[in-house]
Amino acid sequence: MTKEIAKQAVDFLFDDKKINGYFDRNKSNSVILEFIGGEPFLEIDLIDYITEYFKFKAFEVGSPWATNYMISISSNGVLYETKKVQDYLKRNPHKVSLGITIDGNKKLHDACRKFPNGEGSYDIVERSVKDLVKKEERPQTKITLCPANVMYLNNAIKNVWSLGILGAYTNCVYEEGWTVKDAKILYFQMKELADYLLEDEHFSKYFCSLFDESIGQELKDDKNWCGGNGQMLAIGTDGRCYPCIRFMKYSLSTPGRKEQPIGDIFKGLDKKEDNEWLNKLKKITMSSQSPEKCLNCKIATGCSLCTGYNYDKHGDPNIRSTYICVTHQARVMANCYYFNKLYKQLNIDKKFKLNIPKEWALQIVSEDEYNSLLKLGGDE
């Protein structure tokens, strides 16, 4: 993105006429500006320019965004130690939410995150993470699971925690490819991780989003789980606007799949009434996009989705991909194991009910293991 387009993009955010009702600044008292690449720190000068101009513009128009804002950046960490990046972070104390990606341990990380000369980047990234940990109150990271790395989940998250990153937001990719074999691996990896959290009360200082008390129940809320249906705004390098980066051309993997802009920063955004595709996005609900098996699922809560991927895969954002069904089943059972043991350890009179149908469970675990989970949940 050029500085000229960047400046116009910031101006656009404060232009109600161009926003055209997509969001209401009077009701949006805070904002998150997220810089997404590629590697964002390759463009630290541009990020710095955008941040400073945004602050100036917000003060100029008297917007609450002048103080109520955050900067979100996900980086590979290689350029973290450079002077320009460090100067930028120092100029914006407590305003930058920085996540540095580190793939578990050195072996895993260096297998895929290499420099052009073939050398791995783990040592540099680990140093960056340790420095960030010293400066951030509650450092966090994002870990994405796929069939090729799910068997390393336990060691990967433990290593992240050992470096001082306390929060690990973790999820399974939505793409096709998950099997029952993968689900079995996920269950026992999570079970092992659960034992570690329960040991010496590690649960009191570490966090992994795979463990969540609210999952594994019948669906009660019909609201679309994903914000890619018109609740977010993404601005491309050329100034065109999208509901999410997953609708931009470079994010689409299906041959012939068209990108779906909803206007631009120059002329403004389309009204949903004038844009058939945006109107369709706004109408998406859980019930409109989900097959019958999802709507009747006894453990539906916590089973997530991506509206952008749904469009990429099916050509229709209102058709839900369900490739993670089996991993969600494994996750629910692992949560039953963890939380019921945690409740007992803390003397809490509570139960995590195992609502998964027996025939689903027995694809992943043995009958003895299933009965053990039932007993933990008080369902014996």
Side-chain angles (χ1 to χ4, degrees):
M1 182 180 286
T2 64
K3 281 189 175 181
E4 290 74 18
I5 289 180
K7 182 177 183 297
Q8 290 181 73
V10 173
D11 290 336
F12 158 80
L13 293 176
F14 295 93
D15 190 328
D16 291 335
K17 187 176 180 181
K18 287 184 177 179
I19 291 299
N20 211 3
Y22 190 80
F23 64 86
D24 186 346
R25 284 196 301 119
N26 295 319
K27 294 181 180 179
S28 302
N29 292 321
S30 58
V31 66
I32 298 173
L33 302 180
E34 185 169 11
F35 295 101
I36 300 177
E39 168 52 40
F41 284 150
L42 286 169
E43 293 290 342
I44 186 60
D45 289 334
L46 180 64
I47 290 175
D48 188 33
Y49 174 81
I50 292 173
T51 302
E52 293 305 309
Y53 184 64
F54 168 81
K55 289 187 282 188
F56 164 79
K57 188 70 178 180
F59 273 110
E60 183 182 50
V61 302
S63 170
W65 293 358
T67 52
N68 296 344
Y69 71 92
M70 285 294 292
I71 306 295
S72 177
I73 302 174
S74 294
S75 169
N76 62 27
V78 171
L79 297 175
Y80 169 81
E81 295 179 307
T82 61
K83 186 177 185 304
K84 285 186 176 181
V85 170
Q86 289 301 307
D87 287 347
Y88 173 79
L89 296 175
K90 289 174 184 176
R91 279 196 301 276
N92 296 281
H94 311 298
K95 286 296 185 182
V96 180
S97 175
L98 172 60
I100 294 179
T101 303
I102 186 163
D103 291 339
N105 55 35
K106 180 177 174 64
K107 181 179 179 181
L108 289 176
H109 186 97
D110 286 347
C112 59
R113 296 183 179 272
K114 302 177 182 179
F115 291 106
N117 64 4
E119 292 181 4
S121 60
Y122 181 85
D123 292 337
I124 295 174
V125 177
E126 183 189 70
R127 194 166 64 240
S128 299
V129 167
K130 288 181 176 179
D131 185 71
L132 181 64
V133 164
K134 292 178 185 177
K135 298 171 180 176
E136 290 226 2
E137 185 178 345
R138 293 188 65 82
Q140 300 171 349
T141 192
K142 179 78 169 62
I143 296 173
T144 304
L145 299 175
C146 66
N149 70 6
V150 66
M151 66 286 297
Y152 304 116
L153 168 64
N154 182 49
N155 288 335
I157 293 185
K158 282 184 187 176
N159 185 61
V160 164
W161 286 339
S162 73
L163 294 176
I165 297 179
L166 306 181
Y169 286 88
T170 311
N171 71 281
C172 295
V173 296
Y174 305 109
E175 283 78 1
E176 191 173 3
W178 292 105
T179 65
V180 171
K181 180 181 177 182
D182 299 320
K184 291 179 179 180
I185 294 171
L186 176 62
Y187 172 76
F188 287 104
Q189 284 287 309
M190 284 188 64
K191 187 178 176 182
E192 191 175 343
L193 193 62
D195 287 335
Y196 177 77
L197 286 170
L198 294 166
E199 178 187 310
D200 297 327
E201 297 191 351
H202 286 137
F203 58 79
S204 66
K205 58 180 177 179
Y206 299 134
F207 167 78
C208 175
S209 63
L210 287 173
F211 296 107
D212 183 342
E213 287 181 284
S214 69
I215 73 169
Q217 302 171 37
E218 290 184 329
L219 198 63
K220 295 181 177 66
D221 189 355
D222 200 34
K223 183 180 178 182
N224 187 36
W225 187 89
C226 176
N229 65 335
Q231 298 178 57
M232 301 185 293
L233 178 65
I235 302 175
T237 56
D238 60 359
R240 286 192 293 171
C241 300
Y242 305 81
C244 173
I245 61 168
R246 290 296 298 257
F247 296 113
M248 294 181 183
K249 187 176 182 179
Y250 75 84
S251 297
L252 298 169
S253 59
T254 301
R257 189 73 72 228
K258 294 181 179 180
E259 61 180 356
Q260 295 287 356
I262 56 172
D264 58 52
I265 64 174
F266 315 109
K267 295 180 181 178
L269 299 178
D270 299 332
K271 279 189 174 181
K272 70 174 184 178
E273 294 82 4
D274 301 329
N275 186 311
E276 182 180 348
W277 188 78
L278 180 57
N279 189 38
K280 186 174 185 177
L281 275 184
K282 291 280 190 177
K283 291 180 178 179
I284 294 176
T285 63
M286 292 300 288
S287 57
S288 72
Q289 67 184 307
S290 301
E292 199 68 25
K293 68 173 184 177
C294 296
L295 299 178
N296 296 327
C297 180
K298 299 296 184 183
I299 57 169
T301 57
C303 188
S304 55
L305 56 93
C306 172
T307 300
Y309 175 65
N310 290 344
Y311 168 68
D312 191 3
K313 179 65 180 179
H314 306 290
D316 186 344
N318 206 22
I319 297 178
R320 180 177 180 177
S321 294
T322 59
Y323 303 121
I324 64 168
C325 281
V326 71
T327 59
H328 180 64
Q329 294 164 21
R331 182 188 174 202
V332 168
M333 287 192 290
N335 271 262
C336 178
Y337 175 84
Y338 171 66
F339 281 110
N340 286 319
K341 287 212 161 193
L342 178 64
Y343 299 150
K344 185 177 181 179
Q345 186 169 317
L346 296 177
N347 294 315
I348 296 174
D349 185 19
K350 198 173 179 181
K351 292 293 184 181
F352 186 106
K353 303 290 286 185
L354 186 63
N355 298 318
I356 184 172
K358 183 177 180 178
E359 61 269 25
W360 295 2
L362 293 185
Q363 291 185 83
I364 300 170
V365 300
S366 68
E367 185 146 5
D368 285 344
E369 184 75 12
Y370 172 70
N371 289 332
S372 176
L373 291 174
L374 284 177
K375 186 176 181 180
L376 282 172
D379 297 317
E380 190 179 34

